Amino acid sequence: MTQPLPVLVQTPAHSQVAGTLSYLSELALPAGTLVRVPLGRRETLGIVWDAASQGQAEVETSRLRPIATALTALPPLSAAWRQLVDFAASYYQRAAGEIALAALPPQLRELSSEQLARRLKRTAAETAPSATEQAPTLTPEQQTVLAQIEAQAGPFLLFGATGSGKTEVYLRCVQALLERDPEAQAMVMVPEINLTPQLESRFAARFGAEVVVSLHSGMTNPQRLKSWLAAHSGAARIVLGTRMAVFASMPKLRLIVVDEEHDPSYKQQEGARYSARDLAIYRGRLEGAKVILGSATPSLESWHHSRPVAEGGRYVRLLMPSRVGDGGALPLVRRVDMNHQPKHAVFSPPLLEALKGRIAKSEQSMVFLNRRGYAPVLHCNDCEWKSECPHCSAFRVFHKLDRTLRCHHCGFTERVPRACPSCGSPDIRPMGRGTEKLEEHLAELLADVQRPDGQPVRIVRIDADTTKLKGELEAQLAQVHSGEVDVLVGTQMIAKGHDFRRITLVAAANPDSALFSSDFRAPERLFSLLMQAAGRAGRDAGISAQSEMWVQTQHPTHPLYENLKKHDYPGFAAQQLKEREQAGLPPYSFQALVRAEARTQETAQAFLNAASTFGTEAAASLNVTLYPAVPMSVQRVANVERAQMLIESPSRAALQRFLAGWHDTLHAVRQGPEGKGLIRWAVDVDPLTI
Ligand code: ADP
Ligand code: ZN
Ligand code: ZN
């Protein structure tokens, strides 16, 4: 007796087959079973899906093709997992098949059921947690917070200063869970791949390496399969990972931690643009798992959600304001008014003196600047030529080391010309500065300075250019940790997360531009970056008393810096939220963007405007505002013109209803005359950059 079964497969991003396809099966396979099915001429991985979500027309059974293989060696994916996928698909306006299949390890497409059975058996062999490390005595703040987490359902927002011991709180929550429930699983997410090794070693030291696995995109396919099988079978009790881990199959998931929850990396920036932090909250509710978001500078959304219940708050706010250890004071923030410093000074004299002072005491410093390369523009002193990218509406950046002009948007690279390509003048000069120039300049300024041991000062630069090859970042970080480096120069990459114990001075070379950005989230990101950077200084209680955070600025009395000086995140948040409320911006409204790309700006905008026209009526009835299509801030990249359209509503539900109804319209417009010449389009729900 064969029967038709709905199977979810990966379909092209915007194909109309958003639901499932029907296949015949002789066995009544339960939903969640992994299968291989014929699709066109190839065979593809699929998942038996729930009948209810079947979104396509009935096909005569006689015309259906049979399932090729059922991977019955693997337990089916759980109902909660399938619901998570269905929710993410409808919320972020993508096909469920795309989201589901992207969450599975690629090797599931290749191995036979027997091969998978053997691998599964191997993962199951190793299970029991084995503590190898003595846990420290908790601080009173940690104790209070743990008691609160124990007593309430959450979700929780753990607002804890950098170095307040948040990771220790996560470790204890996991420990309590594993002790209470011999099968329970926990998930801990961090924003960046390069933070996972540090985290993995802490969890492995506490619980034993056998029960901890990692899941991130930097792993090889066999590693990914191994971790996934361990999580899926329940053998792994703790799954650590980046945003993709939110879709890990974990049958006994009871706790989800999202560390550094404010970090924009939790939002996927291509394909299905999901927020792993927001999905973690949803998944927690689905699975009955506690969710803990942690940060020293929470996103304003999470901060707003954790306001008092009486004011409508939904998260429980937990506080750990103090750093661990005696004298674990926060660094002193010093603002240098660059209006009163020598013109064009990269390092103001007081900052330079301070750096020398640290070197004399064998302490480390860190200087960051949010721009890599030597100089952002090369320009001709005789004519108006600038190093524009011929393919993008952006300048190519001057990289001195290999003497190239490189476009950071499309990658177009050329040798630096000897003379101005426009007028032939040899007088072409770099304008502005990047980390490469900062490093060079600092080396000149410190050329005559010696370390106490008589050796020359050692400067190391860490940014995307110095860490392109595998292992380079680790090697450079190891140099810093071992004390070989006196001054670390880099982009924001170095300001985040790393536990540098010997750094006592952190300096932001030139952070002002974010104060006046057109992106309403720029101040939030800057404040968070500076607080995180300040948190790098003086992590060792013994030296934290003298640690300093320097900010070179033209606007020393700006409220953002005033709040930074006081380490006052709540003050900063209150001021920002007030502005957002007055302007009707998130979290007081909800947004989505439709982006369109075409060879001409007119074509891209025509598509958006047509879609808008067809949506006007529905938008008005739902209290949704459709803004006119505009060029994106970097309008052209790799010869493709880009436009976007903002959609806004005071109600998340209304916005969702509008988008759901509008979906077919967008597809129809794409097929019609206004879609002619369009290269691609995509919806971004809850976008982080506008
Ligand atoms: P956060 O994640 O809040 O920045 P961590 O959890 O990394 O802070 O803790 C900072 C440092 O303090 C770490 O080296 C950690 O081992 C240590 N630490 C945390 N809790 C305690 C404690 N209760 N007693 C002693 N040391 C602790
Ligand atoms: Zn010229
Ligand atoms: Zn370019």
Side-chain angles (χ1 to χ4, degrees), residues 10 12 14 19 53 95 97 140 274 278 355 390 569 630 644:
Q10 168 117 50
H14 288 302
S53 74
Y274 65 86
D278 295 350
L355 289 170
Y569 169 82
V630 292
Q644 67 180 25

Side-chain angles (χ1 to χ4, degrees), residues 388-396 406-412 636-639:
E388 253 166 298
C389 175
H391 310 296
C392 306
S393 47
F395 294 113
R396 278 175 300 164
R406 268 189 251 160
C407 175
H408 288 183
H409 295 279
C410 74
F412 180 66
R636 188 167 51 102
V637 169
N639 296 321

Side-chain angles (χ1 to χ4, degrees), residues 366-612:
M366 177 171 106
V367 184
F368 68 94
L369 177 68
N370 222 2
R371 193 174 254 162
R372 68 194 165 87
Y374 189 84
V377 191
L378 201 63
H379 90 129
C380 168
N381 247 13
D382 287 332
C383 73
E384 288 301 298
W385 181 81
K386 287 198 178 86
S387 57
E388 253 166 298
C389 175
H391 310 296
C392 306
S393 47
F395 294 113
R396 278 175 300 164
V397 175
F398 174 38
H399 288 255
K400 192 173 179 185
L401 197 66
D402 54 5
R403 303 216 48 92
T404 56
L405 287 178
R406 268 189 251 160
C407 175
H408 288 183
H409 295 279
C410 74
F412 180 66
T413 302
E414 275 183 333
R415 300 275 302 162
V416 170
R418 284 179 193 288
C420 171
S422 171
C423 75
S425 161
D427 192 10
I428 45 176
R429 297 182 191 180
M431 244 165 64
R433 57 177 174 267
T435 46
E436 203 184 336
K437 186 169 179 183
L438 203 69
E439 179 195 13
E440 178 191 275
H441 194 56
L442 190 62
E444 286 165 11
L445 293 170
L446 298 177
D448 303 329
V449 179
Q450 285 185 346
R451 294 154 49 104
D453 62 6
Q455 296 291 312
V457 171
R458 278 169 292 191
I459 303 172
V460 87
R461 171 166 58 95
I462 299 187
D463 57 29
D465 294 318
T466 68
T467 54
K468 256 184 276 176
L469 302 178
K470 201 172 159 60
E472 275 180 320
L473 177 64
E474 291 72 18
Q476 288 180 323
L477 291 176
Q479 275 188 323
V480 180
H481 287 300
S482 70
E484 278 171 57
V485 172
D486 302 298
V487 186
L488 175 61
V489 172
T491 52
Q492 59 169 330
M493 215 171 140
I494 57 174
K496 281 201 217 165
H498 298 287
D499 201 354
F500 296 122
R501 311 221 60 105
R502 300 161 187 254
I503 287 180
T504 60
L505 186 153
V506 174
N510 183 19
D512 280 347
S513 62
L515 298 178
F516 308 101
S517 164
S518 61
D519 182 346
F520 70 89
R521 282 194 176 85
E524 177 182 356
R525 281 197 296 270
L526 175 62
F527 189 81
S528 148
L529 177 65
L530 294 176
M531 287 281 281
Q532 296 288 327
R536 299 302 110 217
R539 302 273 289 188
D540 256 339
I543 51 176
S544 66
Q546 313 95 42
S547 67
E548 292 176 348
M549 161 92 202
W550 287 63
V551 176
Q552 299 193 126
T553 170
Q554 312 262 359
H555 308 274
T557 58
H558 192 283
L560 188 149
Y561 297 135
E562 296 281 356
N563 283 312
L564 180 72
K565 168 108 190 133
K566 294 182 280 180
H567 300 281
D568 185 6
Y569 169 82
F572 169 76
Q575 175 260 326
Q576 282 287 308
L577 284 171
K578 204 165 129 200
E579 280 183 19
R580 297 247 190 120
E581 186 169 23
Q582 281 161 359
L585 290 167
Y588 300 95
S589 69
F590 300 88
Q591 300 180 327
L593 278 180
V594 192
R595 299 204 172 93
E597 298 185 1
R599 286 290 164 211
T600 69
Q601 185 62 220
E602 294 71 48
T603 310
Q605 291 197 17
F607 166 75
L608 296 175
N609 288 329
S612 174

Side-chain angles (χ1 to χ4, degrees), residues 93-402:
Q93 301 278 309
R94 299 298 283 203
E98 179 193 9
I99 293 177
L101 276 297
L104 300 176
Q107 281 198 323
L108 284 185
R109 290 163 177 77
E110 300 149 20
L111 301 178
S112 71
S113 201
E114 294 71 37
Q115 285 171 312
L116 289 168
R118 276 200 295 280
R119 310 233 168 161
L120 197 61
K121 220 163 161 186
R122 257 181 267 157
T123 63
E126 331 141 344
T127 37
S130 59
T132 53
E133 174 200 71
Q134 190 69 36
T137 310
L138 294 171
T139 65
E141 286 180 3
Q142 286 171 329
Q143 278 174 18
T144 307
V145 157
L146 279 165
Q148 286 176 284
I149 295 173
E150 198 62 36
Q152 296 175 68
F156 302 93
L157 175 65
L158 174 54
F159 171 50
T162 39
S164 62
K166 293 187 289 298
T167 311
E168 187 60 41
V169 169
Y170 309 150
L171 287 162
R172 294 301 176 98
C173 287
V174 171
Q175 187 185 336
L177 177 71
L178 300 195
E179 283 170 5
R180 186 176 342 115
D181 181 341
E183 293 192 320
Q185 296 177 296
M187 177 195 299
V188 182
M189 285 192 280
V190 286
E192 286 184 36
I193 293 180
N194 59 42
L195 296 175
T196 51
Q198 193 173 305
L199 191 73
E200 195 173 338
S201 64
R202 283 188 79 174
F203 275 81
R206 192 65 62 87
F207 301 105
E210 318 78 54
V211 293
V212 182
V213 299
S214 289
L215 268 177
H216 57 75
S217 57
M219 298 165 73
T220 64
N221 284 348
Q223 285 170 332
R224 237 180 108 177
L225 178 68
K226 190 161 183 264
S227 290
W228 186 86
L229 285 174
H232 180 59
S233 65
R237 309 292 303 282
I238 304 163
V239 173
L240 311 175
T242 50
R243 63 170 178 263
M244 67 184 273
V246 78
F247 287 112
S249 166
M250 298 173 70
K252 294 279 160 57
L253 182 61
R254 295 291 172 269
L255 175 69
I256 307 177
V257 173
V258 184
D259 192 25
E260 311 287 5
E261 67 86 29
H262 63 278
D263 199 296
S265 306
Y266 282 118
K267 185 87 162 43
Q268 168 109 337
Q269 291 299 345
E270 58 193 23
R273 291 172 158 82
Y274 65 86
S275 158
R277 181 237 298 157
D278 295 350
L279 286 179
I281 296 281
Y282 184 84
R283 186 168 185 183
R285 205 166 53 206
L286 263 181
E287 311 231 19
K290 280 194 181 174
V291 180
I292 306 171
L293 311 180
S295 178
T297 52
S299 64
L300 290 174
E301 280 82 1
S302 297
W303 187 250
H304 184 62
H305 289 324
S306 69
R307 65 198 184 277
V309 178
E311 293 165 28
R314 298 186 285 115
Y315 301 174
V316 181
R317 192 182 288 173
L318 309 169
L319 309 176
M320 294 209 304
S322 322
R323 281 181 147 188
V324 175
D326 304 327
L330 289 164
L332 176 69
V333 175
R334 314 191 74 133
R335 291 161 291 181
V336 183
D337 186 348
M338 296 305 273
N339 298 302
H340 299 141
Q341 298 299 325
K343 247 196 155 53
H344 306 304
V346 179
F347 291 91
S348 59
L351 174 57
L352 192 61
E353 283 315 304
L355 289 170
K356 289 178 185 171
R358 300 288 155 169
I359 294 165
K361 289 196 279 177
S362 299
E363 293 175 4
Q364 293 179 314
S365 304
M366 177 171 106
V367 184
F368 68 94
L369 177 68
N370 222 2
R371 193 174 254 162
R372 68 194 165 87
Y374 189 84
V377 191
L378 201 63
H379 90 129
C380 168
N381 247 13
D382 287 332
C383 73
E384 288 301 298
W385 181 81
K386 287 198 178 86
S387 57
E388 253 166 298
C389 175
H391 310 296
C392 306
S393 47
F395 294 113
R396 278 175 300 164
V397 175
F398 174 38
H399 288 255
K400 192 173 179 185
L401 197 66
D402 54 5

